[in-house]
Amino acid sequence: MEFRREAIESKVAEDGNEANYVFDATESRLTVKLAAAGLLSSFGHSPTLAVRKFAGEARFDPAHPERAWLRVRIRADSLEVVEGTNDRDRAEIERRTREEVLKAELHPEIIFASERIAVEKIFEGHYAARIIGDLTLCGVTRPCEIEARVLASESMLRASGEFSLRQSEFGIGPVTALGGAIKLKDELKLSFDIVARRA
């Protein structure tokens, strides 16, 4: 991942802490689930999009959980439909997502930065985390809260979970597709399974 990678590497080097981790994008997964509203919802037009280009960094030290932090950067033009629609509709949904929903040319990155992370140990190496931070989407920054299941070892950090957000909170209006035949719900569901390696 070349976009903003230098910022991530410089932050890790500057912090100098053994518990710093950098995302392994080849082993990680970020998806966005859209849902059709009204009568057309019964026709199965609820596509799932995968984020293909993203980078991130995290710090987690079981001895000092209060010092944990997380930063994620996503390329707004890298979402691809992976299921929930046919080949004919896929290209239009991807184009409208990039150009009209995310306005990727004006706002090329989606950014999440934690402000505070509350960590609860479940048992050895397994934790529940409540991540509170700011999400910047389409140039609008709003508070965002994410709950995650975390598996931590000396060499690897793995976090998984899901959360929802409303597009209208980021200034994104009602979304339609296929000439207005499909209207999408305001709420999006995002799921993640992130693998990070110790820097």
Side-chain angles (χ1 to χ4, degrees):
M1 190 62 49
E2 295 181 358
F3 77 100
R4 303 298 293 273
R5 179 69 188 225
E6 69 281 357
I8 291 174
E9 291 177 341
S10 64
K11 173 63 181 174
V12 170
E14 173 187 299
D15 205 49
N17 191 302
E18 290 184 351
N20 282 326
Y21 300 83
V22 174
F23 284 18
D24 183 346
T26 63
E27 298 291 331
S28 300
R29 176 180 57 84
L30 282 172
T31 59
V32 181
K33 181 75 172 180
L34 310 179
L39 294 175
L40 285 175
S41 61
S42 61
F43 288 88
H45 289 288
S46 297
T48 297
L49 294 89
V51 179
R52 296 305 190 191
K53 296 181 180 180
F54 59 93
E57 54 184 328
R59 177 171 64 194
F60 181 73
D61 185 345
H64 300 282
E66 72 282 358
R67 299 179 185 173
W69 51 253
L70 171 69
R71 292 175 180 83
V72 184
R73 290 185 172 89
I74 295 170
R75 275 280 296 270
D77 62 358
S78 73
L79 277 71
E80 296 181 356
V81 175
V82 291
E83 62 180 50
T85 188
N86 56 46
D87 291 339
R88 182 191 61 191
D89 299 339
R90 180 178 292 111
E92 182 180 350
I93 292 172
E94 290 178 353
R95 181 188 63 79
R96 293 178 72 93
T97 297
R98 290 192 302 267
E99 298 177 5
E100 300 177 25
V101 178
L102 298 177
K103 299 179 175 63
E105 287 192 4
L106 291 175
H107 310 290
E109 286 189 347
I110 300 166
I111 301 172
F112 177 81
S114 67
E115 293 290 336
R116 180 169 61 88
I117 301 179
V119 179
E120 178 184 358
K121 185 176 181 179
I122 307 302
F123 53 90
E124 190 63 34
H126 294 255
Y127 304 85
R130 183 166 168 256
I131 307 167
I132 299 169
D134 291 325
L135 176 65
T136 300
L137 174 63
C138 289
V140 177
T141 301
R142 292 284 184 267
C144 181
E145 184 174 316
I146 302 169
E147 293 188 357
R149 300 175 296 277
V150 179
L151 173 64
S153 68
E154 289 186 5
S155 61
M156 186 185 76
L157 190 70
R158 185 165 195 162
S160 60
E162 61 181 24
F163 64 102
S164 299
L165 62 84
R166 293 188 178 279
Q167 299 172 86
S168 57
E169 294 179 350
F170 295 87
I172 300 172
V175 179
T176 61
L178 308 180
I182 298 175
K183 181 178 180 180
L184 300 178
K185 292 182 179 179
D186 187 26
E187 185 178 66
L188 304 177
K189 292 187 178 181
L190 299 91
S191 63
F192 58 92
D193 185 7
I194 299 297
V195 173
R197 310 287 181 185
R198 192 170 70 177

